[in-house]
Amino acid sequence: GAGVSQSPSNKVTEKGKDVELRCDPISGHTALYWYRQRLGQGLEFLIYFQGNSAPDKSGLPSDRFSAERTGESVSTLTIQRTQQEDSAVYLCASSLGMGRQGVYEQYFGPGTRLTVT
Amino acid sequence: AQSVAQPEDQVNVAEGNPLTVKCTYSVSGNPYLFWYVQYPNRGLQFLLKYITGDNLVKGSYGFEAEFNKSQTSFHLKKPSALVSDSALYFCAVRDRYSGYALNFGKGTSLLVTP
């Protein structure tokens, strides 16, 4: 079946502009995650959505970052007034929701490489 | 607080030799532990996970990992490395009680030479 898809694959933007990144999770996955991967670094958690629950926004680095999710489908990550330090690969992942069966692994999309000039 | 350490930035192994990629973790409770692999220009792929039970976990592509609670380690191993195993490997941890996001290590680059 189709995996997690993200668009665009690459985005170059000027400092100060707003950008929107899109994620299409695997069908049926109720949980969706956004991470950021800076060059040579591990992944930093940004935000988590689970079903209709309030999202966990604890990883968002500033109020310039926000994300929305429509039901259990598409999510968009918006970065306002981009800064050069926002340059990174933004990864989206989805998983089955938490259940009595245990912990479900996350499936990652290919990422969006954001370059802020 | 939870954290993961991958002490080696790079591991070099000859094809056919066993490989080990190290990972240690710190969580306040019992951990959920994961290994992911990232091939060039591709997304992260799940390899294996430890939730509970047997300390030796087997995963995709012949990889396995051993959970060692006393040493707080979860090293990734493979008995015989392939050139195609060359990639970036990430260890990740999640505390059972503090949210659902994974805390990733910085990654270890594995290079398998012919």
Side-chain angles (χ1 to χ4, degrees):
Chain A
V4 177
S5 61
Q6 292 185 246
S7 61
S9 55
N10 280 284
K11 177 71 176 178
V12 181
T13 190
E14 292 179 354
K15 178 182 173 181
K17 294 285 180 68
D18 298 351
V19 294
E20 267 194 8
L21 312 180
R22 177 188 169 105
C23 172
D24 281 275
I26 292 172
S27 178
H29 281 191
T30 58
L32 187 146
Y33 312 76
W34 284 97
Y35 293 87
R36 177 170 70 177
Q37 185 178 22
R38 287 174 162 154
L39 188 64
Q41 301 294 315
L43 278 70
E44 302 171 65
F45 164 71
L46 296 176
I47 189 169
Y48 160 75
F49 296 89
Q50 168 58 50
N52 294 321
S53 302
D56 176 358
K57 304 179 182 180
S58 60
L60 294 178
S62 77
D63 59 7
R64 295 187 296 106
F65 287 72
S66 62
E68 293 183 347
R69 187 180 186 192
T70 306
E72 293 184 352
S73 60
V74 171
S75 175
T76 55
L77 176 69
T78 302
I79 309 173
Q80 296 178 311
R81 305 181 302 282
T82 52
Q83 304 294 313
Q84 287 186 330
E85 61 263 28
D86 298 335
S87 296
V89 176
Y90 289 81
L91 292 165
C92 176
S94 70
S95 72
L96 295 169
M98 289 299 299
R100 296 171 67 90
Q101 300 91 329
V103 177
Y104 300 109
E105 56 271 23
Q106 297 174 23
Y107 292 84
F108 284 81
T112 294
R113 183 175 298 278
L114 176 66
T115 304
V116 182
T117 61
Chain B
Q2 54 188 1
S3 65
V4 174
Q6 293 183 243
E8 304 153 317
D9 290 337
Q10 181 157 328
V11 170
N12 297 321
V13 176
E15 187 174 31
N17 283 358
L19 70 87
T20 299
V21 182
K22 296 180 180 177
C23 171
T24 59
Y25 66 89
S26 174
V27 297
S28 55
N30 291 320
Y32 296 136
L33 292 155
F34 301 79
W35 276 101
Y36 283 82
V37 59
Q38 187 175 36
Y39 296 102
N41 300 316
R42 295 177 64 179
L44 274 74
Q45 296 180 28
F46 169 75
L47 276 180
L48 50 79
K49 65 184 178 184
Y50 170 80
I51 304 301
T52 188
D54 194 348
N55 290 342
L56 184 64
V57 178
K58 294 187 182 296
S60 307
Y61 312 120
F63 284 93
E64 58 188 28
E66 185 167 11
F67 171 62
N68 187 317
K69 188 172 183 177
S70 64
Q71 297 185 4
T72 62
S73 67
F74 190 56
H75 300 330
L76 181 70
K77 300 181 180 184
K78 187 173 182 180
S80 178
L82 300 172
V83 172
S84 58
D85 292 331
S86 298
L88 192 56
Y89 290 81
F90 290 95
C91 181
V93 67
R94 214 201 89 194
D95 187 305
R96 291 174 187 235
Y97 305 110
S98 60
Y100 304 115
L102 293 175
N103 193 315
F104 283 83
K106 291 185 177 182
T108 298
S109 179
L110 174 67
L111 179 63
V112 182
T113 53

